[in-house]
Amino acid sequence: KQEVTQIPAALSVPEGENLVLNCSFTDSAIYNLQWFRQDPGKGLTSLLLIQSSQREQTSGRLNASLDKSSGRSTLYIAASQPGDSATYLCAVRNSGNTPLVFGKGTRLSVIA
Amino acid sequence: DGGITQSPKYLFRKEGQNVTLSCEQNLNHDAMYWYRQDPGQGLRLIYYSQIVNDFQKGDIAEGYSVSREKKESFPLTVTSAQKNPTAFYLCASRDQRSSYNEQFFGPGTRLTVL
């Protein structure tokens, strides 16, 4: 059974720092991996989706990488801002018809 | 304005009552999902549906029921058999036919049992 782990559970950084959030999964035979952002009391916002055949995806200051063989993905945030403060969730899909399996998230605080 | 809508935003239920949470999407997505979120537990899958008139149980289906009579609608009923229903409920959808098939979420409904 696929399991997704995100470490650390919480992270606090000063504004302007570059940072990396980690996601690991136990079954490397994945279909795709998706990163989400969640603000308190809100729904999830999709940030990036990486297909199993891809190594990375970029959107603005965000870059997500995927290493299937080691069962890892990282979300890199450049020049962090207080507005980046949120919980970031990683989710993995094992095949085209199966539901996403979620990690518990990393709660990020960017201090001005 | 395309997207996923959930209503109501806040819902209060007395013990012993059934309540229904609404989820509607105008994205023409075939697959729809219901998740429950509790503090410290992440998202847990309740039910999902890949086509109209068909749905599958997720990890925590007991005490919940769903229907999928229309492609754009996937209501969730929280029955009196659900012993601890207070939580944040999230609906999601995606286009399974697309090679990209990104999943999108609604704004959520917070259910509180009085």
Side-chain angles (χ1 to χ4, degrees), chain A residues 1 31-32 34 36 38 41-44 46 49 51 57 89 93 95-100 102-104, chain B residues 9 33 35 37 40-43 45 48 50 88 90 94 96 98-103 105-107 110:
Chain A
K1 181 182 175 182
Y31 182 76
N32 62 30
Q34 201 166 347
F36 296 88
Q38 186 178 28
K42 306 292 185 182
L44 277 65
S46 179
L49 182 147
Q51 304 284 22
Q57 282 281 6
L89 294 107
R93 194 179 307 278
S95 73
N97 294 330
T98 57
L100 285 171
F102 282 84
K104 293 186 177 181
Chain B
K9 186 173 181 180
Y33 307 83
Y35 296 87
Q37 188 174 37
Q41 294 212 40
L43 271 73
L45 182 66
Y48 65 104
Q50 295 176 309
F88 190 51
L90 288 160
R94 73 181 181 110
Q96 287 191 142
S98 165
S99 58
Y100 196 65
N101 60 57
E102 189 176 6
Q103 185 158 315
F105 280 79
R110 185 164 299 279

mmCIF file of all heavy atoms in Angstrom, chain A residues 1 31-32 34 36 38 41-44 46 49 51 57 89 93 95-100 102-104, chain B residues 9 33 35 37 40-43 45 48 50 88 90 94 96 98-103 105-107 110:
data_model
loop_
_atom_site.group_PDB
_atom_site.id
_atom_site.type_symbol
_atom_site.label_atom_id
_atom_site.label_comp_id
_atom_site.label_asym_id
_atom_site.label_seq_id
_atom_site.Cartn_x
_atom_site.Cartn_y
_atom_site.Cartn_z
ATOM 1 N N LYS A 1 0.839 -1.181 0.000
ATOM 2 C CA LYS A 1 0.000 0.000 0.000
ATOM 3 C C LYS A 1 0.886 1.247 0.000
ATOM 4 O O LYS A 1 1.829 1.348 0.771
ATOM 5 C CB LYS A 1 -0.897 0.004 1.235
ATOM 6 C CG LYS A 1 -1.818 1.202 1.306
ATOM 7 C CD LYS A 1 -2.640 1.160 2.580
ATOM 8 C CE LYS A 1 -3.488 2.425 2.718
ATOM 9 N NZ LYS A 1 -4.251 2.428 3.973
ATOM 10 N N TYR A 31 2.075 7.035 -11.150
ATOM 11 C CA TYR A 31 1.547 7.591 -12.395
ATOM 12 C C TYR A 31 1.865 9.083 -12.469
ATOM 13 O O TYR A 31 2.296 9.584 -13.507
ATOM 14 C CB TYR A 31 0.049 7.350 -12.428
ATOM 15 C CG TYR A 31 -0.657 7.831 -13.672
ATOM 16 C CD1 TYR A 31 -0.561 7.122 -14.861
ATOM 17 C CD2 TYR A 31 -1.445 8.983 -13.647
ATOM 18 C CE1 TYR A 31 -1.219 7.558 -16.003
ATOM 19 C CE2 TYR A 31 -2.106 9.422 -14.773
ATOM 20 C CZ TYR A 31 -1.999 8.695 -15.944
ATOM 21 O OH TYR A 31 -2.652 9.130 -17.072
ATOM 22 N N ASN A 32 1.619 9.792 -11.383
ATOM 23 C CA ASN A 32 2.026 11.183 -11.278
ATOM 24 C C ASN A 32 2.074 11.626 -9.831
ATOM 25 O O ASN A 32 1.677 10.873 -8.937
ATOM 26 C CB ASN A 32 1.135 12.123 -12.122
ATOM 27 C CG ASN A 32 -0.329 12.127 -11.698
ATOM 28 O OD1 ASN A 32 -0.645 11.920 -10.544
ATOM 29 N ND2 ASN A 32 -1.216 12.378 -12.657
ATOM 30 N N GLN A 34 1.514 15.254 -7.344
ATOM 31 C CA GLN A 34 0.970 16.603 -7.365
ATOM 32 C C GLN A 34 1.291 17.305 -6.046
ATOM 33 O O GLN A 34 1.153 16.695 -4.967
ATOM 34 C CB GLN A 34 -0.557 16.542 -7.588
ATOM 35 C CG GLN A 34 -1.172 17.805 -8.124
ATOM 36 C CD GLN A 34 -2.612 17.585 -8.638
ATOM 37 O OE1 GLN A 34 -3.076 16.463 -8.822
ATOM 38 N NE2 GLN A 34 -3.313 18.682 -8.864
ATOM 39 N N PHE A 36 0.298 20.573 -3.588
ATOM 40 C CA PHE A 36 -0.799 21.487 -3.300
ATOM 41 C C PHE A 36 -0.397 22.455 -2.199
ATOM 42 O O PHE A 36 0.475 22.162 -1.376
ATOM 43 C CB PHE A 36 -2.045 20.734 -2.803
ATOM 44 C CG PHE A 36 -2.666 19.797 -3.788
ATOM 45 C CD1 PHE A 36 -2.239 18.480 -3.890
ATOM 46 C CD2 PHE A 36 -3.699 20.225 -4.614
ATOM 47 C CE1 PHE A 36 -2.827 17.601 -4.787
ATOM 48 C CE2 PHE A 36 -4.301 19.355 -5.514
ATOM 49 C CZ PHE A 36 -3.863 18.040 -5.599
ATOM 50 N N GLN A 38 -2.368 24.749 0.926
ATOM 51 C CA GLN A 38 -3.626 24.962 1.636
ATOM 52 C C GLN A 38 -3.457 26.079 2.653
ATOM 53 O O GLN A 38 -2.608 26.001 3.544
ATOM 54 C CB GLN A 38 -4.109 23.688 2.340
ATOM 55 C CG GLN A 38 -5.496 23.851 2.968
ATOM 56 C CD GLN A 38 -6.013 22.588 3.619
ATOM 57 O OE1 GLN A 38 -5.247 21.747 4.087
ATOM 58 N NE2 GLN A 38 -7.339 22.425 3.644
ATOM 59 N N GLY A 41 -8.335 27.006 6.782
ATOM 60 C CA GLY A 41 -9.776 27.047 6.556
ATOM 61 C C GLY A 41 -10.193 27.065 5.100
ATOM 62 O O GLY A 41 -11.372 27.295 4.803
ATOM 63 N N LYS A 42 -9.256 26.827 4.191
ATOM 64 C CA LYS A 42 -9.549 26.881 2.751
ATOM 65 C C LYS A 42 -9.355 25.523 2.099
ATOM 66 O O LYS A 42 -8.822 24.585 2.695
ATOM 67 C CB LYS A 42 -8.622 27.894 2.069
ATOM 68 C CG LYS A 42 -8.643 29.285 2.685
ATOM 69 C CD LYS A 42 -9.963 29.988 2.462
ATOM 70 C CE LYS A 42 -9.894 31.419 2.979
ATOM 71 N NZ LYS A 42 -11.194 32.120 2.821
ATOM 72 N N GLY A 43 -9.775 25.443 0.838
ATOM 73 C CA GLY A 43 -9.520 24.244 0.066
ATOM 74 C C GLY A 43 -8.071 24.176 -0.403
ATOM 75 O O GLY A 43 -7.264 25.055 -0.092
ATOM 76 N N LEU A 44 -7.740 23.121 -1.143
ATOM 77 C CA LEU A 44 -6.386 22.940 -1.659
ATOM 78 C C LEU A 44 -6.255 23.613 -3.017
ATOM 79 O O LEU A 44 -7.152 23.504 -3.857
ATOM 80 C CB LEU A 44 -6.055 21.462 -1.800
ATOM 81 C CG LEU A 44 -5.572 20.715 -0.565
ATOM 82 C CD1 LEU A 44 -6.641 20.641 0.513
ATOM 83 C CD2 LEU A 44 -5.094 19.320 -0.947
ATOM 84 N N SER A 46 -3.887 23.599 -6.379
ATOM 85 C CA SER A 46 -2.861 22.839 -7.077
ATOM 86 C C SER A 46 -1.713 23.756 -7.474
ATOM 87 O O SER A 46 -1.923 24.829 -8.042
ATOM 88 C CB SER A 46 -3.448 22.180 -8.319
ATOM 89 O OG SER A 46 -2.463 21.464 -9.018
ATOM 90 N N LEU A 49 2.063 19.642 -11.040
ATOM 91 C CA LEU A 49 1.855 18.213 -11.273
ATOM 92 C C LEU A 49 3.029 17.699 -12.080
ATOM 93 O O LEU A 49 3.384 18.303 -13.106
ATOM 94 C CB LEU A 49 0.542 17.952 -12.003
ATOM 95 C CG LEU A 49 0.177 16.482 -12.266
ATOM 96 C CD1 LEU A 49 -1.330 16.286 -12.209
ATOM 97 C CD2 LEU A 49 0.712 16.012 -13.602
ATOM 98 N N GLN A 51 4.402 14.386 -14.118
ATOM 99 C CA GLN A 51 4.101 13.060 -14.636
ATOM 100 C C GLN A 51 5.253 12.110 -14.307
ATOM 101 O O GLN A 51 6.378 12.542 -14.078
ATOM 102 C CB GLN A 51 3.906 13.120 -16.156
ATOM 103 C CG GLN A 51 2.841 14.090 -16.622
ATOM 104 C CD GLN A 51 1.427 13.590 -16.408
ATOM 105 O OE1 GLN A 51 1.176 12.718 -15.578
ATOM 106 N NE2 GLN A 51 0.483 14.158 -17.146
ATOM 107 N N GLN A 57 9.181 20.167 -12.742
ATOM 108 C CA GLN A 57 8.235 21.137 -13.275
ATOM 109 C C GLN A 57 8.479 22.446 -12.545
ATOM 110 O O GLN A 57 8.804 22.460 -11.353
ATOM 111 C CB GLN A 57 6.785 20.683 -13.049
ATOM 112 C CG GLN A 57 6.286 19.637 -14.006
ATOM 113 C CD GLN A 57 5.883 20.225 -15.344
ATOM 114 O OE1 GLN A 57 6.070 21.406 -15.619
ATOM 115 N NE2 GLN A 57 5.337 19.379 -16.201
ATOM 116 N N LEU A 89 1.082 20.282 0.689
ATOM 117 C CA LEU A 89 0.802 18.846 0.676
ATOM 118 C C LEU A 89 1.287 18.219 -0.619
ATOM 119 O O LEU A 89 1.152 18.797 -1.704
ATOM 120 C CB LEU A 89 -0.695 18.584 0.830
ATOM 121 C CG LEU A 89 -1.301 18.990 2.175
ATOM 122 C CD1 LEU A 89 -2.159 20.228 2.018
ATOM 123 C CD2 LEU A 89 -2.133 17.870 2.748
ATOM 124 N N ARG A 93 -0.311 9.540 -7.218
ATOM 125 C CA ARG A 93 -1.316 8.673 -7.861
ATOM 126 C C ARG A 93 -0.599 7.474 -8.452
ATOM 127 O O ARG A 93 0.354 7.634 -9.225
ATOM 128 C CB ARG A 93 -2.072 9.439 -8.945
ATOM 129 C CG ARG A 93 -3.339 8.722 -9.406
ATOM 130 C CD ARG A 93 -4.084 9.506 -10.475
ATOM 131 N NE ARG A 93 -4.383 10.887 -10.138
ATOM 132 C CZ ARG A 93 -5.410 11.264 -9.391
ATOM 133 N NH1 ARG A 93 -6.246 10.357 -8.905
ATOM 134 N NH2 ARG A 93 -5.611 12.547 -9.141
ATOM 135 N N SER A 95 -1.942 4.922 -10.424
ATOM 136 C CA SER A 95 -2.321 4.614 -11.799
ATOM 137 C C SER A 95 -3.356 5.638 -12.234
ATOM 138 O O SER A 95 -3.847 6.420 -11.423
ATOM 139 C CB SER A 95 -2.880 3.201 -11.915
ATOM 140 O OG SER A 95 -4.171 3.130 -11.343
ATOM 141 N N GLY A 96 -3.718 5.604 -13.518
ATOM 142 C CA GLY A 96 -4.618 6.617 -14.039
ATOM 143 C C GLY A 96 -5.996 6.616 -13.404
ATOM 144 O O GLY A 96 -6.684 7.640 -13.419
ATOM 145 N N ASN A 97 -6.408 5.499 -12.827
ATOM 146 C CA ASN A 97 -7.760 5.394 -12.278
ATOM 147 C C ASN A 97 -7.815 5.339 -10.758
ATOM 148 O O ASN A 97 -8.891 5.172 -10.197
ATOM 149 C CB ASN A 97 -8.447 4.141 -12.823
ATOM 150 C CG ASN A 97 -8.692 4.231 -14.308
ATOM 151 O OD1 ASN A 97 -8.885 5.323 -14.832
ATOM 152 N ND2 ASN A 97 -8.655 3.104 -14.981
ATOM 153 N N THR A 98 -6.693 5.440 -10.093
ATOM 154 C CA THR A 98 -6.710 5.324 -8.630
ATOM 155 C C THR A 98 -6.666 6.698 -7.988
ATOM 156 O O THR A 98 -6.155 7.657 -8.566
ATOM 157 C CB THR A 98 -5.525 4.484 -8.126
ATOM 158 O OG1 THR A 98 -4.301 5.079 -8.597
ATOM 159 C CG2 THR A 98 -5.628 3.056 -8.613
ATOM 160 N N PRO A 99 -7.219 6.817 -6.764
ATOM 161 C CA PRO A 99 -7.216 8.121 -6.083
ATOM 162 C C PRO A 99 -5.817 8.529 -5.633
ATOM 163 O O PRO A 99 -4.921 7.706 -5.476
ATOM 164 C CB PRO A 99 -8.109 7.879 -4.865
ATOM 165 C CG PRO A 99 -8.871 6.640 -5.149
ATOM 166 C CD PRO A 99 -7.986 5.808 -6.020
ATOM 167 N N LEU A 100 -5.663 9.826 -5.400
ATOM 168 C CA LEU A 100 -4.419 10.341 -4.840
ATOM 169 C C LEU A 100 -4.235 9.841 -3.409
ATOM 170 O O LEU A 100 -5.196 9.718 -2.645
ATOM 171 C CB LEU A 100 -4.442 11.870 -4.820
ATOM 172 C CG LEU A 100 -4.242 12.592 -6.140
ATOM 173 C CD1 LEU A 100 -4.515 14.093 -5.967
ATOM 174 C CD2 LEU A 100 -2.846 12.372 -6.685
ATOM 175 N N PHE A 102 -2.270 11.058 -0.049
ATOM 176 C CA PHE A 102 -1.715 12.307 0.463
ATOM 177 C C PHE A 102 -0.747 12.100 1.613
ATOM 178 O O PHE A 102 -0.929 11.193 2.451
ATOM 179 C CB PHE A 102 -2.846 13.217 0.964
ATOM 180 C CG PHE A 102 -3.576 13.930 -0.124
ATOM 181 C CD1 PHE A 102 -4.616 13.325 -0.809
ATOM 182 C CD2 PHE A 102 -3.214 15.229 -0.472
ATOM 183 C CE1 PHE A 102 -5.294 13.986 -1.818
ATOM 184 C CE2 PHE A 102 -3.879 15.893 -1.483
ATOM 185 C CZ PHE A 102 -4.911 15.276 -2.155
ATOM 186 N N GLY A 103 0.271 12.956 1.671
ATOM 187 C CA GLY A 103 1.046 13.115 2.874
ATOM 188 C C GLY A 103 0.298 14.024 3.833
ATOM 189 O O GLY A 103 -0.730 14.613 3.475
ATOM 190 N N LYS A 104 0.818 14.166 5.048
ATOM 191 C CA LYS A 104 0.147 14.983 6.043
ATOM 192 C C LYS A 104 0.509 16.461 5.941
ATOM 193 O O LYS A 104 -0.077 17.294 6.639
ATOM 194 C CB LYS A 104 0.444 14.467 7.447
ATOM 195 C CG LYS A 104 -0.162 13.097 7.714
ATOM 196 C CD LYS A 104 0.027 12.665 9.152
ATOM 197 C CE LYS A 104 -0.666 11.324 9.382
ATOM 198 N NZ LYS A 104 -0.543 10.865 10.792
ATOM 199 N N LYS B 9 -20.944 26.640 3.439
ATOM 200 C CA LYS B 9 -19.570 26.792 3.903
ATOM 201 C C LYS B 9 -19.450 26.269 5.344
ATOM 202 O O LYS B 9 -18.453 25.654 5.714
ATOM 203 C CB LYS B 9 -19.154 28.255 3.851
ATOM 204 C CG LYS B 9 -17.691 28.496 4.181
ATOM 205 C CD LYS B 9 -17.319 29.949 3.947
ATOM 206 C CE LYS B 9 -15.833 30.163 4.254
ATOM 207 N NZ LYS B 9 -15.430 31.573 4.026
ATOM 208 N N TYR B 33 -14.472 13.347 -6.033
ATOM 209 C CA TYR B 33 -13.964 12.753 -4.799
ATOM 210 C C TYR B 33 -14.470 13.525 -3.580
ATOM 211 O O TYR B 33 -14.644 14.741 -3.645
ATOM 212 C CB TYR B 33 -12.427 12.803 -4.771
ATOM 213 C CG TYR B 33 -11.757 12.209 -5.979
ATOM 214 C CD1 TYR B 33 -11.603 12.956 -7.143
ATOM 215 C CD2 TYR B 33 -11.275 10.908 -5.948
ATOM 216 C CE1 TYR B 33 -10.987 12.406 -8.256
ATOM 217 C CE2 TYR B 33 -10.656 10.359 -7.062
ATOM 218 C CZ TYR B 33 -10.510 11.107 -8.209
ATOM 219 O OH TYR B 33 -9.906 10.561 -9.310
ATOM 220 N N TYR B 35 -13.267 14.031 0.506
ATOM 221 C CA TYR B 35 -12.261 13.814 1.534
ATOM 222 C C TYR B 35 -12.728 14.428 2.845
ATOM 223 O O TYR B 35 -13.471 15.411 2.858
ATOM 224 C CB TYR B 35 -10.937 14.487 1.157
ATOM 225 C CG TYR B 35 -10.265 13.936 -0.073
ATOM 226 C CD1 TYR B 35 -10.585 14.425 -1.334
ATOM 227 C CD2 TYR B 35 -9.285 12.950 0.025
ATOM 228 C CE1 TYR B 35 -9.961 13.928 -2.465
ATOM 229 C CE2 TYR B 35 -8.652 12.455 -1.096
ATOM 230 C CZ TYR B 35 -8.994 12.951 -2.341
ATOM 231 O OH TYR B 35 -8.370 12.464 -3.457
ATOM 232 N N GLN B 37 -10.978 16.028 6.404
ATOM 233 C CA GLN B 37 -9.715 16.519 6.964
ATOM 234 C C GLN B 37 -9.905 16.825 8.439
ATOM 235 O O GLN B 37 -10.768 17.625 8.802
ATOM 236 C CB GLN B 37 -9.235 17.770 6.205
ATOM 237 C CG GLN B 37 -7.840 18.207 6.599
ATOM 238 C CD GLN B 37 -7.339 19.359 5.742
ATOM 239 O OE1 GLN B 37 -8.092 20.250 5.376
ATOM 240 N NE2 GLN B 37 -6.048 19.344 5.413
ATOM 241 N N GLY B 40 -4.102 17.259 12.149
ATOM 242 C CA GLY B 40 -3.041 16.288 12.393
ATOM 243 C C GLY B 40 -3.202 14.962 11.669
ATOM 244 O O GLY B 40 -2.330 14.104 11.779
ATOM 245 N N GLN B 41 -4.297 14.796 10.898
ATOM 246 C CA GLN B 41 -4.516 13.494 10.241
ATOM 247 C C GLN B 41 -4.444 13.567 8.740
ATOM 248 O O GLN B 41 -4.569 12.571 8.067
ATOM 249 C CB GLN B 41 -5.872 12.927 10.653
ATOM 250 C CG GLN B 41 -5.958 12.561 12.117
ATOM 251 C CD GLN B 41 -6.874 11.374 12.347
ATOM 252 O OE1 GLN B 41 -6.876 10.419 11.570
ATOM 253 N NE2 GLN B 41 -7.652 11.418 13.414
ATOM 254 N N GLY B 42 -4.278 14.716 8.178
ATOM 255 C CA GLY B 42 -4.224 14.811 6.733
ATOM 256 C C GLY B 42 -5.577 14.556 6.090
ATOM 257 O O GLY B 42 -6.612 14.537 6.762
ATOM 258 N N LEU B 43 -5.578 14.338 4.802
ATOM 259 C CA LEU B 43 -6.807 14.093 4.054
ATOM 260 C C LEU B 43 -7.089 12.607 3.976
ATOM 261 O O LEU B 43 -6.206 11.817 3.632
ATOM 262 C CB LEU B 43 -6.688 14.639 2.625
ATOM 263 C CG LEU B 43 -7.097 16.086 2.414
ATOM 264 C CD1 LEU B 43 -6.062 17.015 2.999
ATOM 265 C CD2 LEU B 43 -7.297 16.374 0.936
ATOM 266 N N LEU B 45 -9.798 9.721 2.286
ATOM 267 C CA LEU B 45 -10.768 9.563 1.208
ATOM 268 C C LEU B 45 -12.021 8.874 1.720
ATOM 269 O O LEU B 45 -11.948 7.792 2.323
ATOM 270 C CB LEU B 45 -10.141 8.747 0.076
ATOM 271 C CG LEU B 45 -10.999 8.513 -1.152
ATOM 272 C CD1 LEU B 45 -11.276 9.832 -1.887
ATOM 273 C CD2 LEU B 45 -10.296 7.523 -2.082
ATOM 274 N N TYR B 48 -15.409 8.007 -3.893
ATOM 275 C CA TYR B 48 -15.095 8.624 -5.160
ATOM 276 C C TYR B 48 -15.936 8.000 -6.263
ATOM 277 O O TYR B 48 -16.449 6.886 -6.117
ATOM 278 C CB TYR B 48 -13.601 8.560 -5.486
ATOM 279 C CG TYR B 48 -13.014 7.180 -5.692
ATOM 280 C CD1 TYR B 48 -12.714 6.715 -6.969
ATOM 281 C CD2 TYR B 48 -12.699 6.380 -4.608
ATOM 282 C CE1 TYR B 48 -12.134 5.475 -7.159
ATOM 283 C CE2 TYR B 48 -12.130 5.133 -4.791
ATOM 284 C CZ TYR B 48 -11.839 4.679 -6.061
ATOM 285 O OH TYR B 48 -11.265 3.444 -6.245
ATOM 286 N N GLN B 50 -16.070 7.653 -10.653
ATOM 287 C CA GLN B 50 -15.349 7.862 -11.914
ATOM 288 C C GLN B 50 -16.296 8.091 -13.082
ATOM 289 O O GLN B 50 -15.878 8.605 -14.126
ATOM 290 C CB GLN B 50 -14.437 6.661 -12.175
ATOM 291 C CG GLN B 50 -13.334 6.532 -11.121
ATOM 292 C CD GLN B 50 -12.481 5.300 -11.304
ATOM 293 O OE1 GLN B 50 -12.992 4.202 -11.436
ATOM 294 N NE2 GLN B 50 -11.181 5.490 -11.303
ATOM 295 N N PHE B 88 -13.646 19.006 8.542
ATOM 296 C CA PHE B 88 -13.650 19.823 7.340
ATOM 297 C C PHE B 88 -13.756 18.878 6.155
ATOM 298 O O PHE B 88 -12.948 17.952 6.021
ATOM 299 C CB PHE B 88 -12.362 20.655 7.307
ATOM 300 C CG PHE B 88 -12.316 21.714 6.255
ATOM 301 C CD1 PHE B 88 -13.343 22.626 6.110
ATOM 302 C CD2 PHE B 88 -11.218 21.825 5.417
ATOM 303 C CE1 PHE B 88 -13.303 23.626 5.153
ATOM 304 C CE2 PHE B 88 -11.152 22.832 4.461
ATOM 305 C CZ PHE B 88 -12.207 23.724 4.326
ATOM 306 N N LEU B 90 -13.882 18.163 2.059
ATOM 307 C CA LEU B 90 -13.394 18.706 0.793
ATOM 308 C C LEU B 90 -13.834 17.831 -0.374
ATOM 309 O O LEU B 90 -13.713 16.607 -0.326
ATOM 310 C CB LEU B 90 -11.867 18.794 0.813
ATOM 311 C CG LEU B 90 -11.306 19.885 1.719
ATOM 312 C CD1 LEU B 90 -9.859 19.590 2.070
ATOM 313 C CD2 LEU B 90 -11.403 21.236 1.046
ATOM 314 N N ARG B 94 -11.457 15.746 -11.301
ATOM 315 C CA ARG B 94 -10.408 15.754 -12.318
ATOM 316 C C ARG B 94 -10.927 15.108 -13.586
ATOM 317 O O ARG B 94 -11.902 14.363 -13.573
ATOM 318 C CB ARG B 94 -9.158 15.046 -11.838
ATOM 319 C CG ARG B 94 -9.279 13.541 -11.762
ATOM 320 C CD ARG B 94 -8.013 12.909 -11.248
ATOM 321 N NE ARG B 94 -8.145 11.464 -11.209
ATOM 322 C CZ ARG B 94 -7.495 10.643 -12.018
ATOM 323 N NH1 ARG B 94 -6.656 11.105 -12.921
ATOM 324 N NH2 ARG B 94 -7.665 9.348 -11.913
ATOM 325 N N GLN B 96 -10.220 12.407 -15.966
ATOM 326 C CA GLN B 96 -9.412 11.186 -16.081
ATOM 327 C C GLN B 96 -8.979 10.917 -17.525
ATOM 328 O O GLN B 96 -8.006 10.209 -17.760
ATOM 329 C CB GLN B 96 -10.211 9.972 -15.582
ATOM 330 C CG GLN B 96 -10.375 9.923 -14.095
ATOM 331 C CD GLN B 96 -10.935 8.601 -13.640
ATOM 332 O OE1 GLN B 96 -10.542 8.077 -12.621
ATOM 333 N NE2 GLN B 96 -11.874 8.047 -14.383
ATOM 334 N N SER B 98 -7.886 13.042 -19.678
ATOM 335 C CA SER B 98 -6.755 13.878 -20.067
ATOM 336 C C SER B 98 -5.451 13.238 -19.627
ATOM 337 O O SER B 98 -5.379 12.639 -18.556
ATOM 338 C CB SER B 98 -6.899 15.258 -19.421
ATOM 339 O OG SER B 98 -5.690 15.963 -19.477
ATOM 340 N N SER B 99 -4.406 13.387 -20.417
ATOM 341 C CA SER B 99 -3.113 12.825 -20.037
ATOM 342 C C SER B 99 -2.509 13.596 -18.869
ATOM 343 O O SER B 99 -1.662 13.100 -18.141
ATOM 344 C CB SER B 99 -2.153 12.850 -21.229
ATOM 345 O OG SER B 99 -2.005 14.175 -21.688
ATOM 346 N N TYR B 100 -2.959 14.840 -18.684
ATOM 347 C CA TYR B 100 -2.433 15.652 -17.597
ATOM 348 C C TYR B 100 -3.184 15.416 -16.286
ATOM 349 O O TYR B 100 -2.601 15.340 -15.238
ATOM 350 C CB TYR B 100 -2.481 17.132 -17.991
ATOM 351 C CG TYR B 100 -1.635 18.011 -17.130
ATOM 352 C CD1 TYR B 100 -0.254 17.877 -17.120
ATOM 353 C CD2 TYR B 100 -2.212 18.978 -16.325
ATOM 354 C CE1 TYR B 100 0.536 18.687 -16.325
ATOM 355 C CE2 TYR B 100 -1.418 19.799 -15.541
ATOM 356 C CZ TYR B 100 -0.058 19.653 -15.544
ATOM 357 O OH TYR B 100 0.718 20.458 -14.750
ATOM 358 N N ASN B 101 -4.457 15.296 -16.346
ATOM 359 C CA ASN B 101 -5.421 14.996 -15.270
ATOM 360 C C ASN B 101 -5.078 15.524 -13.887
ATOM 361 O O ASN B 101 -5.046 14.799 -12.905
ATOM 362 C CB ASN B 101 -5.825 13.524 -15.216
ATOM 363 C CG ASN B 101 -4.689 12.541 -14.971
ATOM 364 O OD1 ASN B 101 -3.972 12.631 -13.995
ATOM 365 N ND2 ASN B 101 -4.549 11.590 -15.866
ATOM 366 N N GLU B 102 -4.867 16.834 -13.852
ATOM 367 C CA GLU B 102 -4.646 17.527 -12.590
ATOM 368 C C GLU B 102 -5.925 17.500 -11.755
ATOM 369 O O GLU B 102 -7.028 17.624 -12.288
ATOM 370 C CB GLU B 102 -4.267 18.973 -12.904
ATOM 371 C CG GLU B 102 -3.788 19.804 -11.733
ATOM 372 C CD GLU B 102 -3.344 21.191 -12.190
ATOM 373 O OE1 GLU B 102 -3.536 21.507 -13.379
ATOM 374 O OE2 GLU B 102 -2.810 21.954 -11.359
ATOM 375 N N GLN B 103 -5.792 17.324 -10.445
ATOM 376 C CA GLN B 103 -6.955 17.283 -9.556
ATOM 377 C C GLN B 103 -7.153 18.662 -8.924
ATOM 378 O O GLN B 103 -6.198 19.294 -8.490
ATOM 379 C CB GLN B 103 -6.767 16.227 -8.479
ATOM 380 C CG GLN B 103 -7.969 16.036 -7.572
ATOM 381 C CD GLN B 103 -7.969 14.686 -6.883
ATOM 382 O OE1 GLN B 103 -7.714 13.651 -7.494
ATOM 383 N NE2 GLN B 103 -8.271 14.697 -5.582
ATOM 384 N N PHE B 105 -9.694 21.145 -6.205
ATOM 385 C CA PHE B 105 -10.499 21.064 -4.997
ATOM 386 C C PHE B 105 -11.468 22.237 -4.890
ATOM 387 O O PHE B 105 -11.203 23.333 -5.375
ATOM 388 C CB PHE B 105 -9.603 21.061 -3.767
ATOM 389 C CG PHE B 105 -9.002 19.715 -3.472
ATOM 390 C CD1 PHE B 105 -7.911 19.256 -4.179
ATOM 391 C CD2 PHE B 105 -9.547 18.901 -2.487
ATOM 392 C CE1 PHE B 105 -7.367 18.006 -3.926
ATOM 393 C CE2 PHE B 105 -9.012 17.660 -2.211
ATOM 394 C CZ PHE B 105 -7.914 17.211 -2.938
ATOM 395 N N GLY B 106 -12.578 21.976 -4.189
ATOM 396 C CA GLY B 106 -13.504 23.029 -3.823
ATOM 397 C C GLY B 106 -13.054 23.722 -2.548
ATOM 398 O O GLY B 106 -12.042 23.346 -1.949
ATOM 399 N N PRO B 107 -13.819 24.734 -2.092
ATOM 400 C CA PRO B 107 -13.423 25.519 -0.919
ATOM 401 C C PRO B 107 -13.700 24.840 0.418
ATOM 402 O O PRO B 107 -13.229 25.318 1.450
ATOM 403 C CB PRO B 107 -14.244 26.794 -1.064
ATOM 404 C CG PRO B 107 -15.450 26.360 -1.820
ATOM 405 C CD PRO B 107 -14.978 25.301 -2.765
ATOM 406 N N ARG B 110 -17.311 23.121 6.499
ATOM 407 C CA ARG B 110 -16.965 22.754 7.880
ATOM 408 C C ARG B 110 -18.232 22.315 8.591
ATOM 409 O O ARG B 110 -19.171 23.110 8.750
ATOM 410 C CB ARG B 110 -16.312 23.919 8.616
ATOM 411 C CG ARG B 110 -15.840 23.526 10.018
ATOM 412 C CD ARG B 110 -14.873 24.529 10.606
ATOM 413 N NE ARG B 110 -13.665 24.675 9.830
ATOM 414 C CZ ARG B 110 -12.621 23.852 9.871
ATOM 415 N NH1 ARG B 110 -12.669 22.770 10.643
ATOM 416 N NH2 ARG B 110 -11.545 24.102 9.147
#
